[in-house]
Amino acid sequence: MTVGAAALHAEPPPELAGSAADPSRLRAWRDEDRAPFAAMNADPEVMRFFVSPLSREQSDAFVDRIVAQHREHGWGLWALEVDDRFAGYVG
């Protein structure tokens, strides 16, 4: 399992990572994803179908659980990138 320099866990297999023709791709989580992810999780409109918005600490703990899941099992929620910017998660 190879881990990129900025990745918090292994990258997805090539068949899940997307292609050059598609502006979206799945990838490993990065530390730099924490701030935009926390902003999404704090937005009441984004979180309207969840129990409640998350604080920064709760959001970071969520990322930590995602990364731990990948490290322990080799699978889990992937970061979604669109046009080279973090856009959320899938999985």
Side-chain angles (χ1 to χ4, degrees):
M1 179 163 40
T2 304
V3 177
L8 295 175
H9 58 83
E11 293 291 341
E15 61 271 16
L16 295 179
S19 69
D22 187 347
S24 63
R25 70 182 196 96
L26 303 182
R27 62 165 174 75
W29 286 78
R30 302 174 184 155
D31 271 330
E32 65 218 38
D33 298 330
R34 291 177 184 269
F37 189 53
M40 287 179 183
N41 288 330
D43 185 323
E45 181 63 22
V46 171
M47 299 297 286
R48 70 182 167 181
F49 298 110
F50 290 81
V51 174
S52 66
L54 302 179
S55 68
R56 176 61 191 253
E57 293 77 22
Q58 291 169 319
S59 182
D60 284 348
F62 186 15
V63 172
D64 293 340
R65 289 191 303 273
I66 292 167
V67 171
Q69 171 77 19
H70 274 279
R71 287 183 177 161
E72 184 174 342
H73 301 287
W75 55 270
L77 301 174
W78 297 102
L80 174 65
E81 187 174 90
V82 178
D83 293 327
D84 299 321
R85 293 182 58 200
F86 177 79
Y89 68 92
V90 297

